[in-house]
Amino acid sequence: MAESVVLDPVDLHLLRLLQNDARTTYRDLAAQVGVAPSTCLDRVTRLRRAGVILGHRLELDPAKLGRGLQALLSVQVRPHRRELVGPFVERIRALPESRTVFHLTGPDDYLVHVAVADMTDLQRLVLDGFTSRPEVARVETRLIFQQWECGPLLPPAAPADTP
C-alpha cells in the first residue's frame, strides 16, 4: 500500500485549486495561494515526484466518439495466479474499448469498464476479447444507463486550512 505524504496548508491549497482546474497557470496559482511563482512551481513539482499528483488528462465523451454504449464486465479468471495477472491486465488495458480495470476481492477477480458502439460491438468484445482467453472462466455484463462524476477528492478548504 502506498505511503501517505505529509502536506502542509500551502500544499493542500494548491491541490484544491488544481483538482478543480488543472490548467491553472503557476502565476495564477501562486497569486491565489500567496506564494512566489517559483515557490509554486517547486511545490507542484515536489507533489508530482511524491506521486500525490498523478497527471493531467483530457476527458472525452464516448458517445460523441461513436461509443455510446458503456458496460461493466465482471470477470472471473481461473486459475487466479500471479503469473496470469500481469499479462491479463496488460491485454485488457490494450483493448481500445477498455476504460478502467479494477482488480477485486470476492467472487469476481476483475471489473472492467468498457465503452463500445452498440450491442453487437459489446458482444464481439465479450466473445473475442474476454471469453476467448483460456484463463477467463466467466464474464458477467452489466449495462450502464447513466453515470455521474463525484466531487473532488479534497473538500473545499476550511478557513483554518488556507494560508
Side-chain angles (χ1 to χ4, degrees):
M1 185 157 271
E3 291 182 30
S4 62
V5 175
V6 177
L7 304 171
D8 68 16
V10 173
D11 293 332
L12 289 170
H13 197 175
L14 285 169
L15 292 170
R16 284 186 175 95
L17 293 168
L18 285 170
Q19 77 179 357
N20 293 313
D21 185 1
R23 296 180 300 169
T24 305
T25 65
Y26 289 116
R27 178 170 297 168
D28 289 343
L29 283 172
Q32 292 180 62
V33 176
V35 298
S38 60
T39 300
C40 182
L41 174 62
D42 289 345
R43 282 180 174 258
V44 171
T45 300
R46 181 179 51 79
L47 291 167
R48 278 195 187 103
R49 285 190 181 133
V52 175
I53 297 174
L54 298 177
H56 308 280
R57 52 176 241 241
L58 179 68
E59 192 171 340
L60 303 174
D61 182 343
K64 297 219 165 103
L65 297 171
R67 294 188 187 182
L69 182 64
Q70 294 186 62
L72 296 172
L73 307 179
S74 299
V75 182
Q76 193 176 71
V77 174
R78 293 294 174 258
H80 190 194
R81 294 193 317 249
R82 183 172 297 280
E83 61 270 13
L84 293 176
V85 168
F88 175 78
V89 169
E90 289 311 308
R91 168 70 178 117
I92 299 310
R93 288 184 68 209
L95 295 171
E97 298 88 352
S98 295
R99 307 304 315 132
T100 310
V101 180
F102 299 94
H103 192 189
L104 309 172
T105 63
D108 297 315
D109 300 311
Y110 298 93
L111 183 65
V112 184
H113 176 195
V114 298
V116 294
D118 53 30
M119 289 297 285
T120 302
D121 199 24
L122 180 59
Q123 181 182 25
R124 176 206 49 80
L125 177 65
V126 170
L127 293 175
D128 297 342
F130 287 84
T131 60
S132 66
R133 299 194 51 83
E135 70 272 25
V136 174
R138 184 179 64 79
V139 175
E140 191 173 302
T141 304
R142 293 174 178 84
L143 298 180
I144 298 173
F145 291 135
Q146 200 169 3
Q147 75 182 58
W148 297 267
E149 293 296 321
C150 297
L153 184 59
L154 292 173
D161 288 345
T162 55

